[in-house]
Amino acid sequence: MVQKVKSQAEMLAKLGIKGLNPMQKEAQQVLKTSEDTILLSPTGSGKTLAFLLPIIESLDPECREIQVLIIVPSRELALQIEQVLRELGSGYKANAIYGGRAGSKDKIDLQHPPAILIGTPGRIADHIKRESFAVKSIQTLVLDEFDKSLEIGFEGEMKAIIWELPQLRKKILTSATEPKRIPEFLGLRDPFYLNYLDEKSNKLSIKVIKSPDKDKLETLGLLVQQLGEQPGIVFCNFKDSIERVSEYLAKLNIPHGSFYGGLEQKDRERALIKFRNGSYKLLLATDLAARGLDIPEIKFIIHYHLPIKEEEFTHRNGRTARMHQSGVAYVLEGAEEKLPNFIDTEYTTIQEIEQEVDVEVKFQTLFISGGRKDKISKGDIAGLFMKEGKLQKVDIGVIELKLDCAFVAVNADKAKNVVKALDNSRLKKKKVRIRLV
């Protein structure tokens, strides 16, 4: 039920955003009037906000059914969009459903239908088939990173979904690269193209480092040590490779996290939380992390494995040098490897890279067994940690508040003492457990 619909200015203020960028401003105008739109813009340029703001303005506050369906290729992107909607505080209910999530949770969320439903194609198609929610009020469909959904085999599910939406009036497709094709089943009617792919005024450098051996592991270790405490991602093509690289970096005492499809959802989510809040600066990932994830500005990416397709190379590189920032993409070339044709750039050596000096506070992540449903706010958590935990403001990093729990980055040197002092404390009316993640 809508309590109070917020104005756009109020929502942006909640996010701490003073103004929209040119792409978001043009999207505002186009999406209000265009029936079908294809929005192409680099990773990190703010596409999510670009389509959410006009969508929220178009919602009917009197309607008690789902009005907007947002289809995404991964559960992480579904959760990210849900989080942005929650932080906007529009007054409208929004929920994310996806594969791997308990069906009982979906049932609870859909008992009182959200105005905006976000989900992966398989889970959405399954619920439509089961008639878990009414489709008669869905007039807007967003296919976020639609080319990725097609690439990983969701075409059948997407066809089934569109076929079951008789009242659909508006379709919005987004991507961070130029799509190779627009499938006919999408039924686009003279779509308006918003193409900002050439507007990326960043400073991306691509450099190749030659490994003296076929096995590039030692070269990777030397490179990561040279780069120091800068935030970055190492891309591998396989989960087995990530496990091998992780074991090697652990021997070098290099803190890092891992992110790939074979991990449990909880472990993937916590890996991203710890990367976002700076508990570690390095993330080992497959191409699952190449797009659509809410991660901080990073200084570099490393192609430990060469990407198979040019699109993968583009999306990986898109994680750095975002929105007017600079960044470097390092390509590791093994002794017997041959670079694909789409990689044509200068060679460098590890010795030529300027070493980063670490001057920042190191963080560790703490888990709190209470969240939004317990009426706990970020201010409550910060207050407890500063008053009872004896921390200074500089000792507290990012606080992420979930429905039933929270995660807090704190000064690593003080983390154990904080746990000892605050475990079993009261936050609002709830007694909470606090532990190291």
Side-chain angles (χ1 to χ4, degrees):
M1 184 174 179
V2 178
Q3 298 177 357
K4 181 180 182 297
V5 178
K6 298 282 181 63
S7 70
Q8 185 176 120
E10 289 175 308
M11 289 188 288
L12 290 176
K14 284 201 72 173
L15 291 180
I17 296 174
K18 294 181 179 179
L20 301 177
N21 63 38
M23 179 273 291
Q24 291 167 332
K25 288 178 180 177
E26 186 175 4
Q28 289 268 286
Q29 300 303 316
V30 171
L31 295 178
K32 286 177 184 177
T33 57
S34 175
E35 287 187 345
D36 294 334
T37 306
I38 297 175
L39 173 57
L40 307 177
S41 192
T43 300
S45 57
K47 289 192 294 295
T48 301
L49 202 59
F51 67 73
L52 284 182
L53 290 173
I55 280 174
I56 290 169
E57 283 190 11
S58 72
L59 294 173
D60 177 1
E62 301 301 320
C63 180
R64 295 294 175 263
E65 301 291 347
I66 297 168
Q67 300 178 59
V68 178
L69 196 55
I70 302 176
I71 297 178
V72 297
S74 70
R75 64 190 73 179
E76 283 76 23
L77 186 50
L79 288 166
Q80 177 184 320
I81 295 173
E82 182 189 40
Q83 182 68 20
V84 172
L85 280 162
R86 188 170 285 122
E87 291 176 355
L88 282 169
S90 66
Y92 289 101
K93 186 173 185 274
N95 291 114
I97 61 177
Y98 42 84
R101 184 180 192 246
S104 57
K105 290 186 177 181
D106 289 359
K107 188 175 180 181
I108 291 169
D109 286 340
L110 295 172
Q111 275 181 345
H112 301 286
I116 301 174
L117 182 65
I118 312 117
T120 48
R123 184 56 64 100
I124 292 285
D126 184 60
H127 276 295
I128 289 178
K129 185 178 179 180
R130 294 170 184 269
E131 299 183 348
S132 303
F133 54 82
V135 298
K136 64 181 185 297
S137 297
I138 299 175
Q139 297 193 1
T140 300
L141 174 68
V142 180
L143 302 176
D144 197 16
E145 301 286 4
F146 76 96
D147 51 330
K148 183 66 175 176
S149 290
L150 292 169
E151 181 185 314
I152 58 181
F154 282 131
E155 185 160 336
E157 288 87 347
M158 293 166 75
K159 276 184 183 178
I161 292 167
I162 291 174
W163 183 259
E164 295 295 336
L165 302 179
Q167 302 302 319
L168 204 56
R169 298 287 179 269
K170 185 186 290 285
K171 300 188 192 87
I172 302 167
L173 280 62
T174 81
S175 178
T177 53
E178 190 78 48
K180 288 185 175 179
R181 67 186 182 101
I182 306 295
E184 289 185 13
F185 75 84
L186 295 176
L188 299 189
R189 299 149 295 186
D190 190 24
F192 192 107
Y193 272 81
L194 267 174
N195 192 339
Y196 277 76
L197 292 177
D198 294 330
E199 299 293 321
K200 192 177 180 185
S201 54
N202 58 33
K203 298 176 182 177
L204 173 67
S205 300
I206 301 174
K207 298 182 178 181
V208 179
I209 294 176
K210 185 79 174 178
S211 169
D213 305 310
K214 182 178 178 181
D215 188 343
K216 299 182 281 188
L217 205 52
E218 186 175 340
T219 301
L220 174 67
L222 292 171
L223 174 58
V224 169
Q225 288 173 319
Q226 185 75 9
L227 291 169
E229 289 292 312
Q230 301 179 75
I233 299 177
V234 177
F235 281 104
C236 301
N237 290 348
F238 313 103
K239 69 174 185 178
D240 291 348
S241 303
I242 288 181
E243 291 168 357
R244 181 170 179 263
V245 170
S246 179
E247 288 178 9
Y248 182 76
L249 294 181
K251 289 177 183 176
L252 297 178
N253 294 315
I254 296 173
H256 62 278
S258 299
F259 184 86
Y260 54 87
L263 287 174
E264 293 289 329
Q265 173 61 22
K266 180 181 76 171
D267 295 328
R268 281 159 60 173
E269 187 174 345
R270 292 190 178 187
L272 292 180
I273 287 170
K274 294 175 77 173
F275 186 55
R276 280 195 291 262
N277 68 27
S279 290
Y280 46 66
K281 298 295 181 73
L282 194 67
L283 189 69
L284 312 180
T286 59
D287 285 321
L288 186 64
R291 59 167 119 181
L293 293 185
D294 180 19
I295 55 178
E297 177 63 39
I298 62 175
K299 296 298 183 183
F300 68 88
I301 66 109
I302 299 173
H303 300 275
Y304 179 70
H305 284 144
L306 300 181
I308 298 170
K309 299 178 183 177
E310 186 171 4
E311 291 89 345
E312 293 167 358
F313 188 61
T314 300
H315 283 298
R316 289 179 180 185
N317 293 344
R319 299 313 321 183
T320 188
R322 297 162 64 183
M323 292 307 292
H324 311 292
Q325 301 297 317
S326 61
V328 185
Y330 295 100
V331 179
L332 297 189
E333 181 185 3
E336 298 177 14
E337 274 186 310
K338 183 180 179 182
L339 295 180
N341 293 332
F342 54 81
I343 301 178
D344 181 18
T345 187
E346 63 181 292
Y347 281 78
T348 189
T349 64
I350 292 173
Q351 292 72 27
E352 290 178 289
I353 299 169
E354 186 175 344
Q355 190 161 25
E356 182 78 6
V357 180
D358 177 25
V359 294
E360 295 182 0
V361 173
K362 292 187 185 300
F363 289 103
Q364 276 192 296
T365 302
L366 303 188
F367 168 84
I368 301 175
S369 64
R372 287 191 306 273
K373 72 176 184 181
D374 306 300
K375 311 299 183 186
I376 293 170
S377 69
K378 292 182 181 180
D380 296 328
I381 294 170
L384 174 69
F385 277 54
M386 292 173 74
K387 187 176 180 182
E388 305 296 334
K390 310 299 182 186
L391 293 181
Q392 301 298 312
K393 193 172 181 181
V394 70
D395 295 320
I396 303 174
V398 176
I399 300 173
E400 290 203 28
L401 196 59
K402 306 293 184 182
L403 184 64
D404 55 3
C405 64
F407 297 88
V408 187
V410 300
N411 187 321
D413 295 332
K414 302 179 181 181
K416 288 184 180 178
N417 288 337
V418 170
V419 171
K420 193 173 180 179
L422 298 183
D423 192 26
N424 288 315
S425 296
R426 285 200 173 273
L427 266 173
K428 289 292 175 69
K429 296 181 180 180
K430 183 177 175 66
K431 194 174 187 180
V432 295
R433 299 303 309 270
I434 298 177
R435 66 172 188 268
L436 285 168
V437 176

